[in-house]
Amino acid sequence: RHSVYNIGSGVGTTNGELLKMVISNSRLDTSPDIIETSHDPEPKVASQADISRMTEEFNWSPKHTLESTIREIINDNR
């Protein structure tokens, strides 16, 4: 038998939000301009991970946010 469990933050993120997190944690001297090409709000890239099975069956919950994970990845590669 195979069971599928989603692991993630359970919070959806747009590309713009993700880009801003990467830039703000990169400690760049200057930030590149982000130019919006549409007046419509950006949809979430993918629906957020449904982590309810992990939470219910294993009492699991995320310990790290997406932003703290990005920060850790950037700092580990310096």
Side-chain angles (χ1 to χ4, degrees):
R1 256 191 193 194
H2 298 284
S3 294
V4 175
Y5 295 90
N6 291 321
I7 298 177
S9 67
V11 178
T13 306
T14 66
N15 283 330
E17 293 166 339
L18 180 61
L19 181 59
K20 286 175 186 175
M21 284 184 225
V22 170
I23 290 170
S24 69
N25 286 286
S26 295
R27 297 187 197 133
L28 298 172
D29 292 334
T30 58
S31 270
D33 293 332
I34 299 173
I35 300 168
E36 298 288 339
T37 58
S38 173
H39 295 290
D40 298 329
E42 181 187 2
K44 302 293 182 186
V45 177
S47 59
Q48 66 193 40
D50 179 359
I51 59 174
S52 61
R53 280 188 70 198
M54 284 296 293
T55 302
E56 292 166 9
E57 294 182 29
F58 297 99
N59 197 28
W60 180 86
S61 63
K63 293 182 182 176
H64 305 279
T65 64
L66 177 58
E67 186 162 10
S68 69
T69 302
I70 289 169
R71 188 178 311 114
E72 186 175 332
I73 290 168
I74 291 170
N75 289 330
D76 284 351
N77 287 300
R78 288 184 184 233

